[in-house]
Amino acid sequence: MGIKQEVNRELRENYELLRALLSQERALSLKADLGNLEDIIGKQIPEALSKNAPPDYYELYMDFKSEYEKFRDYILYDQLIGKNVVALGGGFSSGKSSFLNALNGEDALPEAIEPTTAVPAYVVWGEDYRVQAINIFDAKVVFQNVLDIQKIAHGFGELECDGEKISEGTALGHVLESVFLATPQQSYRNIAFLDTPGYSKPESEQYSARTDEQIARRQLNTAGLILWFVNAEGGVITQNDIDFIKTLREDIPKLVILTRADRRQDQLAEIMAKVRETLTLKGVGNIRGVYAYDKECPEDYDLPEIRCFLEDWNQRTPEPNFALNFKKLFVRCRKFFEDEKNKAGSKLEKLNHASMILSGGGEEEAVEVLDRLIDDFRREIQALTRTGERVRELQDAFFQEIKRVGDVVGIRMPEPSEVELLREDAGNPLTLLRDYNREHNVKPNRELLAVLQNALGDLKPVFPQAAGGGAYQGKLLDILRSYRVAPEEIRFNDVYRRTDAYQKLVRTLAAAEKGE
């Protein structure tokens, strides 16, 4: 083939790749219609909360949308269903992609990707090496050549002729929302690794919309386990890293992995000890370990120990926390409306009392002013009540629809009536009792509360982490294993208590208590 023919061939291939990347045909072949869900999320929720919402509503809503995008990822790429998501996070060029390559024994991901072209990438086991992506138009892109993803990341359109560059390349990663890679070399069949773009601050030279801290945080918070990467050459874990990690969900267990360990081999033990001490002093919770790794000689450091940790995670039955994470927005809004109603009700009671006193003293003008204020507070309470009821209706409608979609695609979701059983935390028993009384309009018995205060006031929950989260599951799993219950028989957040697995668990625990 002549040089001209070779150039023409590359041009045709680039054109076909560009055409696929920019396709606007939403040929997603969804098993379930998401129209109703997207209408609730994109229209009904914002309309209901347009005039009155919690001060942190925007952040809650964006987290809610991110959780939905992850849910949609599971539908678009059904190989994620039944997988435990392990997310890789850290700063720019902290060694995440090279770690995945060392872990899997091949170049599963292109390294040294510029942050402006970085794309969140899921890596799962598959019989064949296949690469797919979703572009910014929600169209699925199937790559015929597995090297195309590297071409997109490193420089699309770069051409050479007779050893001379005749065309400069350009990065096109920004037209992709996410990438899905299946490879037979992925060692853990029940794990989906999520390689996230390195985060950076707006003032950083590496900053882009894709590396924004908020976007990185939302991606990491969808995982069941986080591997956080730190360059050992710095000798410390930075305050930026610590601040970022502390904003992640505490219930998600985390491993801190020091990369480029070989370059600080002599001081490595001291650096690792300092990192552990810093994390403890700064109050960073749920750190399961600090490990060292170097891509040039991975087996010389802690990669075998990390593999053992991941192998244990690979044996766990995946239980996505979609329902719990979706519930946060509704719970926070409903609590906000209840609190505002209580404040308004307290003011209304005081105004009524003042109005009665003044009316008896002939202060008609003052009474008239107070009555107008009373009417304003009554209208405010009525408006808060209506909005709170609307939020509850949207919660029921949303979970009914997400349950329907989940049944179609094979993602287990609770019934709308069972959503209230899901709790974000295992709080103080007295707090739970007060919540129950408030929600069910039960007038508390002060004598009984005094007795409970003495009995339960200093009682700490056995599981202080968020119920259903990774730390909670790990702790509970260890306890259940002591009763010789197989991990695959354990279902966390399982509101379907009629299942065989649940009944077997109950029988096993009952027998253990009797010493059988």
Side-chain angles (χ1 to χ4, degrees):
M1 181 182 296
I3 294 177
K4 184 176 180 179
Q5 290 177 308
E6 177 66 20
V7 170
N8 286 337
R9 182 186 64 79
E10 289 192 34
L11 284 172
R12 285 196 303 272
E13 290 178 354
N14 284 341
Y15 167 75
E16 291 299 326
L17 178 57
L18 182 63
R19 188 170 65 86
L21 286 174
L22 300 180
S23 171
Q24 297 188 45
E25 299 177 4
R26 297 187 62 178
L28 300 178
S29 302
L30 291 176
K31 296 179 181 178
D33 181 17
L34 301 178
N36 290 339
L37 278 174
E38 294 182 351
D39 181 68
I40 293 173
I41 296 170
K43 182 180 178 182
Q44 296 185 46
I45 290 177
E47 285 181 353
L49 299 168
S50 60
K51 296 181 180 179
N52 205 345
D56 55 348
Y57 163 70
Y58 176 77
E59 183 178 347
L60 288 166
Y61 180 67
M62 295 307 295
D63 287 346
F64 185 87
K65 289 184 68 175
S66 295
E67 191 71 16
Y68 172 72
E69 288 167 6
K70 179 190 173 185
F71 182 82
R72 194 184 61 167
D73 281 345
Y74 272 59
I75 298 173
L76 296 176
Y77 192 66
D78 56 10
Q79 284 181 276
L80 291 177
I81 298 176
K83 299 290 193 300
N84 292 300
V85 176
V86 175
L88 286 69
F92 168 61
S93 192
S94 55
K96 299 184 296 296
S97 297
S98 67
F99 174 83
L100 270 186
N101 292 335
L103 194 66
N104 294 318
E106 67 159 288
D107 290 339
L109 285 174
E111 295 183 36
I113 298 178
E114 293 296 325
T116 51
T117 62
V119 182
Y122 289 96
V123 183
V124 301
W125 177 87
E127 293 184 356
D128 302 310
Y129 196 108
R130 303 176 69 181
V131 183
Q132 301 176 39
I134 304 298
N135 68 14
I136 55 176
F137 305 109
D138 284 340
K140 182 181 290 187
V141 181
V142 179
F143 296 99
Q144 303 300 325
N145 186 337
V146 295
L147 297 179
D148 285 342
I149 188 64
Q150 294 186 0
K151 183 187 294 185
I152 293 167
H154 288 291
F156 174 84
E158 184 177 304
L159 294 176
E160 290 186 359
C161 180
D162 198 19
E164 181 180 350
K165 185 182 293 187
I166 62 174
S167 168
E168 295 291 338
T170 184
L172 290 179
H174 58 281
V175 304
L176 298 179
E177 292 289 347
S178 53
V179 174
F180 307 98
L181 301 98
T183 168
Q185 296 300 317
Q186 216 277 51
S187 307
Y188 309 95
R189 297 197 178 194
N190 292 328
I191 288 179
F193 289 101
L194 173 57
D195 187 34
T196 65
Y199 83 93
S200 56
K201 294 182 174 295
E203 63 272 16
S204 169
E205 292 182 0
Q206 293 85 26
Y207 178 82
S208 74
R210 287 295 175 84
T211 65
D212 184 82
E213 286 184 87
Q214 291 187 358
I215 294 176
R217 182 178 301 109
R218 291 176 191 132
Q219 292 168 348
L220 293 167
N221 275 338
T222 64
L225 171 68
I226 293 174
L227 309 182
W228 187 265
F229 291 80
V230 177
N231 189 338
E233 289 184 279
V236 295
I237 181 169
T238 67
Q239 187 62 45
N240 285 340
D241 275 6
I242 290 172
D243 291 342
F244 188 97
I245 296 172
K246 291 181 74 171
T247 65
L248 298 174
R249 283 173 40 193
E250 188 175 355
D251 63 292
I252 303 176
K254 304 164 189 72
L255 303 185
V256 175
I257 300 176
L258 303 181
T259 60
R260 298 180 176 87
D262 211 41
R263 303 185 187 184
R264 297 296 298 269
Q265 185 177 17
D266 294 340
Q267 302 89 23
L268 189 59
E270 180 182 345
I271 292 173
M272 294 177 70
K274 188 174 182 179
V275 169
R276 292 190 191 96
E277 180 183 5
T278 302
L279 291 168
T280 301
L281 290 175
K282 297 291 185 178
V284 182
N286 211 357
I287 301 295
R288 296 298 184 87
V290 176
Y291 299 93
Y293 153 80
D294 194 289
K295 69 176 183 178
E296 302 300 333
C297 46
E299 303 301 329
D300 290 350
Y301 292 95
D302 296 328
L303 189 60
E305 287 82 355
I306 299 171
R307 282 199 178 106
C308 289
F309 192 97
L310 291 173
E311 186 57 46
D312 178 71
W313 204 261
N314 188 53
Q315 298 300 318
R316 299 188 179 191
T317 301
E319 293 290 339
N321 289 326
F322 289 125
L324 187 62
N325 294 334
F326 283 135
K327 183 185 173 184
K328 290 179 182 178
L329 172 68
F330 298 109
V331 169
R332 177 69 182 92
C333 289
R334 286 163 50 196
K335 186 177 186 304
F336 169 76
F337 294 128
E338 286 299 319
D339 290 344
E340 292 299 301
K341 282 170 57 180
N342 290 337
K343 292 177 185 177
S346 177
K347 294 176 181 177
L348 181 60
E349 184 178 348
K350 293 176 182 177
L351 288 173
N352 278 323
H353 183 65
S355 178
M356 291 176 60
I357 295 174
L358 291 174
S359 62
E363 301 287 342
E364 289 82 5
E365 188 174 336
V367 170
E368 184 178 346
V369 173
L370 285 176
D371 286 345
R372 285 199 296 268
L373 288 174
I374 288 170
D375 288 339
D376 288 342
F377 275 109
R378 283 174 177 165
R379 283 192 292 270
E380 180 182 347
I381 292 173
Q382 290 171 355
L384 288 167
T385 300
R386 286 194 299 270
T387 307
E389 290 173 349
R390 177 58 179 154
V391 169
R392 183 55 184 264
E393 291 172 358
L394 286 173
Q395 174 181 314
D396 291 342
F398 175 82
F399 278 101
Q400 181 176 349
E401 189 64 19
I402 206 121
K403 167 65 174 170
R404 181 191 66 80
V405 173
D407 288 345
V408 172
V409 301
I411 300 176
R412 197 152 52 90
M413 300 292 293
E415 297 285 350
S417 60
E418 297 167 325
V419 170
E420 294 301 321
L421 299 176
L422 300 173
R423 296 197 63 88
E424 184 179 356
D425 55 37
N428 185 289
L430 290 174
T431 302
L432 300 181
L433 180 61
R434 292 191 185 102
D435 289 346
Y436 180 89
N437 288 342
R438 185 174 63 250
E439 292 174 5
H440 294 81
N441 296 318
V442 177
K443 187 176 182 180
N445 182 312
R446 296 186 181 278
E447 293 182 1
L448 177 60
L449 281 177
V451 173
L452 292 175
Q453 179 68 52
N454 292 330
L456 305 176
D458 298 327
L459 187 64
K460 294 183 178 180
V462 176
F463 302 107
Q465 296 88 356
Y472 176 91
Q473 294 180 10
K475 182 73 174 176
L476 186 55
L477 185 60
D478 292 339
I479 293 175
L480 293 175
R481 279 178 174 169
S482 68
Y483 291 112
R484 297 186 296 279
V485 179
E488 63 271 11
E489 296 173 349
I490 299 170
R491 297 292 187 274
F492 297 102
N493 289 341
D494 195 351
V495 294
Y496 309 98
R497 301 192 175 191
R498 294 178 295 276
T499 63
D500 293 339
Y502 180 83
Q503 295 300 327
K504 184 173 182 180
L505 175 58
V506 171
R507 291 194 298 271
T508 302
L509 294 176
E513 289 178 357
K514 294 177 181 179
E516 297 177 1

